[in-house]
Amino acid sequence: MKKPQEIKESRSKLNTSEQADISWLHTELATFLDTDEVSLNGIVTLENMINTLNNFRRGYTQRVIRLMKQAHIVD
C-alpha cells in the first residue's frame, strides 16, 4: 500500500499527457481568439476543444475518485 506522502505527490501533479492537453487547449483557444472569425472551421475547433476538455475532466475526476476509494481524505 502506498504511503500517504506518495499519494499526496501523485494527486498533486498532472502527468505529461494531461499537461499536453491543457497546453494544447491554451494554444487553440488563443488562436481561436486571434482569428476572430465565425466559420465552419471555428465550429470544428470548438468541438475539438470541448472533446479534449471533457476527456481531461473525466480522467481528473477518476483520479480523485480513486484517491477517495483508498480511504484518504482529498483536499
Side-chain angles (χ1 to χ4, degrees):
M1 184 161 162
K2 290 183 179 180
K3 295 178 185 176
Q5 184 61 28
E6 291 174 330
I7 292 170
K8 270 187 179 180
E9 289 174 4
S10 70
R11 79 168 187 222
S12 64
K13 295 181 182 178
L14 298 175
N15 63 37
T16 54
S17 174
E18 292 167 334
Q19 290 175 349
D21 285 346
I22 295 298
S23 179
W24 180 84
L25 284 167
H26 180 266
T27 303
E28 285 298 307
L29 192 55
T31 302
F32 185 79
L33 288 171
D34 290 342
T35 303
D36 193 27
E37 181 181 305
V38 176
S39 67
L40 183 59
N41 191 31
I43 292 172
V44 171
T45 300
L46 283 173
E47 286 297 321
N48 288 338
M49 286 190 290
I50 289 168
N51 288 336
T52 300
L53 185 58
N54 280 334
N55 289 337
F56 174 81
R57 181 187 51 84
R58 192 175 306 117
Y60 193 89
T61 302
Q62 287 173 352
R63 182 188 293 179
V64 170
I65 291 170
R66 226 175 303 128
L67 288 169
M68 290 170 65
K69 283 182 177 179
Q70 292 176 2
H72 292 277
I73 298 172
V74 178
D75 296 331

